[in-house]
Amino acid sequence: MMQRRAAEVAGWGAALALALIAVAVVASTSSWLLYRDGDSVVVALMADSLRRGDSQDWALSPVLFLPETTVYAALSFLGLGTTGSLTLNAVVNLLAVYGGIRLVAGRSRPGSRPVTGSVLAFAAFVALVLLEGPGGMPGFHLALLTATTTYYSATVVGTLVTVGLFRRLLDGAPTVRVVPVMVGVVAISTLTNPLFVGWCVGPVAVAVGVLLVGRRIVPRLAVVTLLAVAGAAAVGYLLRGFFAANIVAAGGNYLRPDQAGDALARLAGVLGDTVVSVNGLLWLAVVLALFAASVVVAVRSWRRRDGVVAAVCVLAVVAPLAATALVVVAGTDADRYLQPWVFLPVVVLAVAPPVLSVPRALSAILAGALAVAAIAAVPVTVAAASRPDADLACVTRWVEASGRTGAGQFWTVRAPKLALTDPSHLVQVDNTMRPYDWLVNRAERRGPVTFLIQDAATIPFAGVPTFDATPVRCGRYTILDFGSRVLPLGDPRN
């Protein structure tokens, strides 16, 4: 028992080291995505607004960010500031991925090394994160998105946890203990992001069907599992009705089957961008190798009548294919929906029977090297999180000193809104000066607007004469100050 606990502690220690290394790279090479991206900052904006006790009327996408906001809000109470909290949140997200993989790996039993396999699988995931560094690889960026608070980290973890609980049921764990937890995870995951149905619920149903046809699962357990995941998903989706006023995205924005051809062409283009670099070729080779390994292990396990491992590997194959089909059928250009390709096939390393035994001496050397790398990563991460943004600080000082309200477009104004003590001093608008109700608190006061903020992402404003505006340069930002002149706002849009 003590040896098993020591192994678990060692596994979590290795995972922490790997997470620290990954976050150091992401914070250094993808700081914009982590700290200032228009979508990435919504969780911080929501948590800060709740902490201030502001009135709440958020205009949200189909993703409600409920687990993400809870985690970030808890971490923000540590007093690390916005960038510090987002950085720590990235470490927590990655550790949660390891926890999900470890659950999928199952309990220790003769002939298995679930902790070693879990660490190896997580290391493969971290390797994909490192290869995706924007400085080294154009094209797909799927693994590093898990470090953010908004690009489906909770859905990634929820999927892994559900797969792990499914595996526990197949291993013979008491249904009275596992099923309630599974129901809760599936309901919350569907409530916060309906994409979870395509990533997890559907593939689990396929895996159960395969097991049932092949007589690798008793009918009673198959029915219980299907009722649990399907029923919980239905409950989670129905609970979204309580947030109907906050979900402003129209279904037509996400389901465009008439554009399936364009979606396929875009995917081919991103794939082409990926393979032009050495990093991209390595990344694609790792992803495809893990996917192929999942197919091979699924077949071999099936022949050995190991339905548990076969089911997990079937999920690792079906979910990425389902995600790809969803992207094409929905006619979307959001390749982030393809994340199952990077976090599910890696679990084959955690569940497959060990092929080689690592000598203790080599394990000690690897552990030492990992510890040294993790220690070295900490100051790199701190430096990246603490790096001042002089341009953003310039805008913040000017806005707060003016005491007035200005406006800016989504990709321009998000980071300044987060940096302000009172975000309502900046109104989010489109290029026609209509308030843009997207990932923003509609309860904030709006106006009177007397200045505009622009940067390279700003689309030229239509119908706004600027002859009387005084430009204020703040590096990548330009503030157009109209003084006492009030710029009229149009009707809100989303």
Side-chain angles (χ1 to χ4, degrees), residues 232-254:
V235 170
Y237 197 82
L238 289 174
L239 289 175
R240 291 173 61 81
F242 290 103
F243 299 90
N246 301 104
I247 302 173
V248 298
N253 294 342
Y254 293 90

Side-chain angles (χ1 to χ4, degrees), residues 133-456:
M137 178 185 143
F140 286 117
H141 296 96
L142 304 177
L144 67 79
L145 293 179
T146 309
T148 70
T149 56
T150 50
Y151 288 114
Y152 314 147
S153 56
T155 308
V156 169
V157 175
T159 299
L160 286 169
V161 170
T162 302
V163 174
L165 293 171
F166 177 46
R167 190 245 163 87
R168 291 298 171 94
L169 285 176
L170 296 177
D171 271 335
T175 56
V176 293
R177 294 182 181 179
V178 177
V179 168
V181 179
M182 178 182 282
V183 167
V185 172
V186 172
I188 293 172
S189 297
T190 306
L191 164 63
T192 196
N193 187 359
L195 186 62
F196 177 81
V197 175
W199 279 13
C200 185
V201 176
V204 167
V206 171
V208 171
V210 170
L211 292 175
L212 191 59
V213 171
R215 298 182 180 180
R216 301 295 197 274
I217 187 174
V218 297
R220 178 181 176 277
L221 182 58
V223 171
V224 168
T225 304
L226 288 175
L227 288 177
V229 295
V235 170
Y237 197 82
L238 289 174
L239 289 175
R240 291 173 61 81
F242 290 103
F243 299 90
N246 301 104
I247 302 173
V248 298
N253 294 342
Y254 293 90
L255 297 175
R256 296 168 293 185
D258 58 308
Q259 298 185 26
D262 292 338
L264 194 58
R266 282 191 292 267
L267 285 181
V270 178
L271 181 61
D273 293 338
T274 302
V275 299
V276 298
S277 68
V278 174
N279 279 32
L281 283 172
L282 288 173
W283 181 91
L284 186 61
V286 171
V287 170
L288 292 180
L290 290 168
F291 183 81
S294 298
V295 175
V296 171
V297 174
V299 173
R300 288 182 176 177
S301 300
W302 186 266
R303 290 174 177 173
R304 294 172 181 170
R305 304 197 66 82
D306 187 348
V308 176
V309 173
V312 172
C313 291
V314 165
L315 277 165
V317 171
V318 171
L321 295 177
T324 306
L326 177 64
V327 168
V328 175
V329 172
T332 180
D333 59 356
D335 55 38
R336 61 182 178 273
Y337 296 163
L338 299 175
Q339 287 180 60
W341 280 97
V342 296
F343 72 84
L344 273 177
V346 298
V347 302
V348 68
L349 301 174
V351 301
V355 178
L356 298 173
S357 178
V358 181
R360 289 187 178 181
L362 180 57
S363 297
I365 293 173
L366 292 175
L370 193 58
V372 170
I375 292 171
V378 172
V380 175
T381 305
V382 172
S386 306
R387 188 175 297 126
D389 186 336
D391 301 346
L392 183 60
C394 172
V395 171
T396 303
R397 285 194 303 269
W398 191 93
V399 172
E400 292 187 338
S402 74
R404 293 183 280 132
T405 300
Q409 294 172 27
F410 181 85
W411 295 108
T412 302
V413 82
R414 303 286 286 175
K417 278 182 72 71
L418 179 61
L420 289 174
T421 304
D422 183 359
S424 66
H425 280 294
L426 289 177
V427 180
Q428 185 172 291
V429 298
D430 63 12
N431 71 314
T432 64
M433 292 301 293
R434 297 173 63 189
Y436 182 37
D437 290 342
W438 184 252
L439 307 185
V440 71
N441 189 0
R442 293 171 295 192
E444 292 177 353
R445 61 182 176 83
R446 292 173 172 171
V449 171
T450 59
F451 63 87
L452 297 175
I453 297 179
Q454 298 181 324
D455 67 359

